Amino acid sequence: MKIPCLRSILLYSFFLSIILFGISCAKTSTSSSSTSVAIPIVNTTGVIINLTPTSAESGGFILSRGNGTITANGVCYSSTNKTPTTSDSKTTDSISKAGTAYTTFSSQITGLSPNTTYYLRAYAVNSAGVGYGGVFSFSTGSSSTNTTATVTTFAGTGTAGYLNGPASGALFNNPQGVVFDKSGNLFVADSFNDLVREISPAANVSTYAGNQTIGYLNGPALSAEFYAPSGQAFDAQGNLYVSDFGNNVIRKITPAGVVSTYAGTGVAGYRNGAVDSANLKSSTDSLASFNNPQGVCVDASGNVYVADRGNNVIREIMPTGRTKTIAGNKVKGFIDATDAAAFFNNPTGVAVDASGTVYVADQGNSALRKISSAGVVTTIAGNPVQSTLFNYPTAITIDSKGNLFLADAGGRIYEYTTNNVLYILAGKLNNPGFANGDGSVASFNNIQGITVDANDNIFVADQNNNAIREITLSAGTVVLARKAVAKHK
């Protein structure tokens, strides 16, 4: 079977940095330098990373050097001083440069006490004085807590192909989106086979929709045709929504197995409007169009959210048969703002929580973003400057407790808890492979889809390994993740 041109799109690897929160503050200085050196402007990392009972990772983002040379930078922290200074405990870190005016640094904090609340902020020093970022507080957990995430292969052999049957011997070809239904069946967007596959709770693989022919045809599921299906999501009625990437549409598959076009014209474009001719409001109204839609999710009211990758926006398809853009515009960029004033860069994954907040895997910006119900876009972690934290996040999902799980094309799986702590659960950064095991022993190759089952086990579509992998969290991981606390002030 010929592989279509769009499938040869390459992922460019570059190092990216954690987004940083905090309103900077600084000491008053009376510098008499003729160069008019000002105190540095600093932000503090907005999340605590890989928190343990005795250690944590944080850092900072130097927005301005103040026309001076930075002589020291890091984070200062205290369990008693709520506005810590460099007179308290501190780290001294190297600034990471990425060819821009922005500089970041990462701080490894050790020697913490279990079950203790700490106050932390970033700092930077030049000849004018010390600049501080906003204060961020976090609490360590119990010293008895251990963290273990175990990776196994759930389905697929590592070889590209098409074969149904027992999951251990089944063949896939570049799988992407994955999602569970209420009965525990796992659905896989088998992209290069142009199919939707189903894996039963008994670990048997079958074809749910598609006939392995590239095309655009609605009708009975096994006669329908797709073109590189990608993201998937179920609504409360059991309808499966599929982002048909190559056809630039969102498809709908009913529980009875009938495929239809839910939104889009089949031609790449960017236009809000009606999902079909029956919902046109006037003779001047238009049908909605998309450009390589990828991630999809559905809220409790039946609104379908789409990461419209080619248009650099997040779209919403409402049960009324209308579409709208909830954030972003067609221009690539990285700006937190409201509605169309915000910028994204090839967003690929979306998830929505019970409050209506939409979370976005902003792939081109290597960032985790969120959109409030009022359309306000905020960056949680990551940015396109420099970091080893994210390297092209691709997919995102949310569990019943509101914890996020993020897949990264760079080879790692993350959890972002409701308490603002980010954990790297498994995988190795920029070290593709196909190995099972615990934590960083495991390796992946271009993860493109992620979901969780009813027991909070994580399943990912390991695209270039042509396999579905399972990550099981130990009881220790869950306890630590749920008890850790971090707050930004």
Side-chain angles (χ1 to χ4, degrees):
M1 181 179 66
K2 293 182 179 179
I3 302 300
C5 292
L6 69 88
R7 295 174 175 173
S8 63
I9 297 173
L10 300 176
L11 292 177
Y12 295 95
S13 295
F14 55 85
F15 293 120
L16 310 147
S17 73
I18 46 181
I19 191 69
L20 311 159
F21 289 89
I23 300 202
S24 299
C25 55
K27 291 181 177 179
T28 302
S29 172
T30 57
S31 173
S32 59
S33 170
S34 60
T35 58
S36 299
V37 175
I39 291 174
I41 300 175
V42 186
N43 275 4
T44 304
T45 299
V47 296
I48 295 296
I49 303 166
N50 285 341
L51 180 66
T52 77
T54 59
S55 65
E57 181 180 342
S58 183
F61 190 43
I62 300 176
L63 295 171
S64 171
R65 299 169 184 260
N67 294 320
T69 299
I70 301 298
T71 57
N73 60 273
V75 297
C76 49
Y77 56 97
S78 173
S79 60
T80 56
N81 185 359
K82 293 185 178 182
T83 54
T85 70
T86 53
S87 298
D88 296 301
S89 298
K90 66 179 183 294
T91 66
T92 302
D93 306 296
S94 298
I95 298 173
S96 300
K97 300 179 180 179
T100 75
Y102 302 111
T103 52
T104 67
F105 54 89
S106 178
S107 300
Q108 299 293 331
I109 307 164
T110 59
L112 301 176
S113 299
N115 298 315
T116 302
T117 297
Y118 287 89
Y119 303 91
L120 173 150
R121 58 177 173 169
Y123 74 90
V125 183
N126 65 11
S127 61
V130 185
Y132 291 102
V135 176
F136 195 87
S137 68
F138 65 96
S139 296
T140 55
S142 169
S143 59
S144 63
T145 304
N146 295 315
T147 301
T148 304
T150 302
V151 180
T152 57
T153 300
F154 181 68
T157 66
T159 300
Y162 172 55
L163 181 66
N164 289 320
S168 60
L171 299 180
F172 300 85
N173 194 346
N174 285 257
Q176 293 202 26
V178 285
V179 67
F180 279 97
D181 68 7
K182 292 180 179 179
S183 299
N185 299 291
L186 179 62
F187 291 77
V188 180
D190 194 2
S191 181
F192 283 18
N193 277 324
D194 302 293
L195 302 171
V196 176
R197 313 283 289 279
E198 179 181 358
I199 308 176
S200 71
N204 187 70
V205 179
S206 60
T207 297
Y208 183 70
N211 61 19
Q212 212 183 359
T213 299
I214 296 174
Y216 181 29
L217 181 65
N218 292 317
L222 295 178
S223 299
E225 295 175 357
F226 298 84
Y227 186 178
S230 183
Q232 300 183 110
F234 277 100
D235 67 13
Q237 289 71 44
N239 298 297
L240 178 61
Y241 298 87
V242 181
S243 57
D244 196 353
F245 187 88
N247 282 320
N248 302 294
V249 297
I250 306 301
R251 311 287 286 277
K252 177 181 175 181
I253 308 175
T254 69
V258 178
V259 178
S260 62
T261 298
Y262 188 63
T265 64
V267 177
Y270 176 46
R271 187 170 56 241
N272 288 311
V275 298
D276 54 34
S277 57
N279 285 282
L280 291 172
K281 291 183 175 181
S282 67
S283 59
T284 58
D285 197 6
S286 301
L287 295 176
S289 58
F290 300 82
N291 188 357
N292 291 155
Q294 191 156 346
V296 293
C297 65
V298 185
D299 68 14
S301 299
N303 298 292
V304 178
Y305 299 91
V306 181
D308 195 358
R309 175 177 175 167
N311 284 322
N312 303 298
V313 298
I314 307 303
R315 311 282 291 280
E316 180 182 353
I317 309 170
M318 297 168 284
T320 57
R322 308 290 298 179
T323 62
K324 65 179 181 180
T325 298
I326 63 169
N329 56 78
K330 288 191 66 176
V331 180
K332 292 181 180 180
F334 182 56
I335 295 177
D336 285 347
T338 301
D339 301 329
F343 286 74
F344 296 87
N345 187 350
N346 290 337
T348 53
V350 285
V352 61
D353 68 13
S355 70
T357 299
V358 177
Y359 298 87
V360 181
D362 191 3
Q363 186 181 71
N365 284 320
S366 285
L368 172 60
R369 319 277 296 274
K370 70 177 180 179
I371 309 168
S372 73
S373 56
V376 179
V377 177
T378 306
T379 299
I380 296 172
N383 70 43
V385 180
Q386 185 278 337
S387 180
T388 56
L389 181 60
F390 295 137
N391 186 8
Y392 275 132
T394 55
I396 189 171
T397 192
I398 191 167
D399 68 12
S400 59
K401 303 176 185 67
N403 301 291
L404 297 175
F405 296 89
L406 188 72
D408 192 282
R412 296 196 293 196
I413 306 297
Y414 308 79
E415 179 183 15
Y416 177 67
T417 73
T418 56
N419 295 317
N420 304 323
V421 180
L422 183 70
Y423 292 95
I424 301 172
L425 297 177
K428 306 171 185 177
L429 179 63
N430 298 325
N431 189 7
F434 189 17
N436 292 318
D438 292 344
S440 61
V441 171
S443 58
F444 305 87
N445 194 348
N446 194 15
I447 311 162
Q448 289 292 313
I450 189 167
T451 191
V452 293
D453 68 10
N455 297 314
D456 291 332
N457 299 306
I458 306 163
F459 292 78
V460 300
D462 193 359
Q463 186 182 51
N464 290 352
N465 282 324
N466 301 292
I468 308 303
R469 315 286 292 280
E470 179 179 1
I471 300 98
T472 303
L473 303 183
S474 72
T477 301
V478 174
V479 170
L480 176 61
R482 304 303 184 264
K483 286 188 175 180
V485 176
K487 295 180 180 179
H488 180 257
K489 295 184 176 180

